[in-house]
Amino acid sequence: MAAADSWSWFPALALGVSLLKCLFINAYHSTDFEVHRNWLAITHSLPVSRWYHEDSSEWTLDYPPLFAWFELGLSQVAQLFDGDMLLVENLNYVSPSAVLFQRLSVIFTDVLFIYAARECCRCVQEQKGSRDVLSRPSFVLAVLLLWNFGLLIVDHVHFQYNGFLLGFLLLSLAKHLQNRHLQGALLFSVLLNLKHIYLYVAPAYGVYLLRSYCFTEDQHDGSISWRSFSPLRLLSLGGIVSSVCALSFGPFIVMGQLPQVLSRLFPFKRGLCHAYWAPNFWALYNMLDKSLAVLGVRLKLLEEAELPRASMTGGLVQEFQHSVLPSVTPSVTLVCTLLSILPAVASIWWRPRGARGFLRCLLLCALGSFMFGWHVHEKAVLLAVLPLSILAVESREDAGIYLLLTTTAHYSLFPLLFSPAELPIKVFLMLMFTIYSFTALRKLHSARLLRPLESVYLMGLVAVAIACEVVFPLSPWQHQLPFLPLLATSVYCSAGVCHCFLRLYVSLLRQEEKHKRL
């Protein structure tokens, strides 16, 4: 662990990134700005019984109740800035005061993320010998977390509260690394009731806590000792989860509105993919389907008039049918997701390897759900990128996976900032973060971190970026094929994310082999 008197640099890092966030207050913001303004208005102006029924705006409340209570708390401060922003009928309302409040609300709630980052840094295994502060794993991790490019543009330009939510996740992970399992379970229960996307990693939490907390001992060969099961510990965990859920959902259960709330949380009619395909398996599947359709038409094996309308690249968010390949349903994505995470979850049940084994399982659950989930947003990849930072500063192999995943995932977020004014911002910030990540981790591990083909892939990513961001806007194709940059970005990044997912699994299997030999 880092010495207690060697942390004077951390406040400077945190203050520096907070000041940087302030520079983006007047930058472009997405429709998510109106989404959260509308939620502020709903929770402030309407009775609780109408929160999940209000639909005068297309941006209906679709987060779990605890986040609605969070919005209600923010609205009490918002009225001091601009009361008009809290009127439900003021759709698409924007004013300087409203913008200032919402931007500051993200910056101030990021205090939790900053605290969580510090706790994670305290859990890092420092290398022996006297080292310069800038070369310590804890310092490198702090920069990778606090100055993460993806989080900066998604929260403080595009606009969302991911830092606040990921703060709960990182703090929960830190508590488990510190063997404070009940605190970790409480924090994750709160997080689940703030945003249900974290169900992605719930299997890792459930199996890990059951196996490593409720069972207090192992056999000599590492297998489970059934006699060591502690009903009291299981009841403690159950009490924590049920209490948080009762506080969050309780009022809506009493009002008989639980089905309505759940219908908002899981709107399966939104379709397999978002308007911009997240870089996952389904992007490759969609691309293959379209390629086969085009080939079929040219070979006169298919009639173009009989093919489904191309909704997947037209900016629409709805159900659609594939042209050649079988169409995918929510149940298919669920089965694929469960199969993709099953080996990882099974590994921490049969051969638990402590909190770091749990962290690796969590990463595979996050990426597996991202790869095969239904209607996945591109921003969800941050759920894997940030926790992987912890392993990256401790393991050379994980550092290589981190560099490839982070660079690919961060570039996949570029389409979120699509106006020319934001191009210099996103290019500069990503270059600075990427250069630091590569140099700091290479110095930390004193080794080459990427394989030759991975380096070639990243050079190809640079070519894709230049083509999409510079060449395409100047070409005549801009009006004929407006979706082409999104398609190229999604498909190319999908290959990189898939590769990282497979590498993480290979790493897990290698650890299993080493354990068996021992």
Side-chain angles (χ1 to χ4, degrees), residues 461-483:
L461 190 64
V462 175
V464 171
I466 293 173
C468 293
E469 302 291 338
V470 180
V471 177
F472 184 82
L474 303 175
S475 72
W477 294 343
Q478 182 179 12
H479 301 291
Q480 299 172 4
L481 302 169
F483 60 84

Side-chain angles (χ1 to χ4, degrees), residues 191-223:
L191 177 59
L192 267 185
N193 282 273
L194 285 168
K195 191 170 183 179
H196 52 304
I197 194 175
Y198 292 93
L199 282 169
Y200 284 2
V201 297
Y205 268 90
V207 173
Y208 172 68
L209 287 170
L210 181 61
R211 176 65 176 86
S212 298
Y213 179 73
C214 294
F215 287 91
T216 58
E217 295 179 4
D218 291 335
Q219 302 281 9
H220 295 297
D221 60 355
S223 60

Side-chain angles (χ1 to χ4, degrees), residues 227-254:
R227 294 182 178 180
S228 67
F229 176 71
S230 171
L232 183 59
R233 290 192 172 194
L234 180 61
L235 288 173
S236 299
L237 287 175
I240 288 173
V241 174
S242 58
S243 297
V244 174
C245 290
L247 289 172
S248 177
F249 285 88
F252 301 94
I253 294 174
V254 171

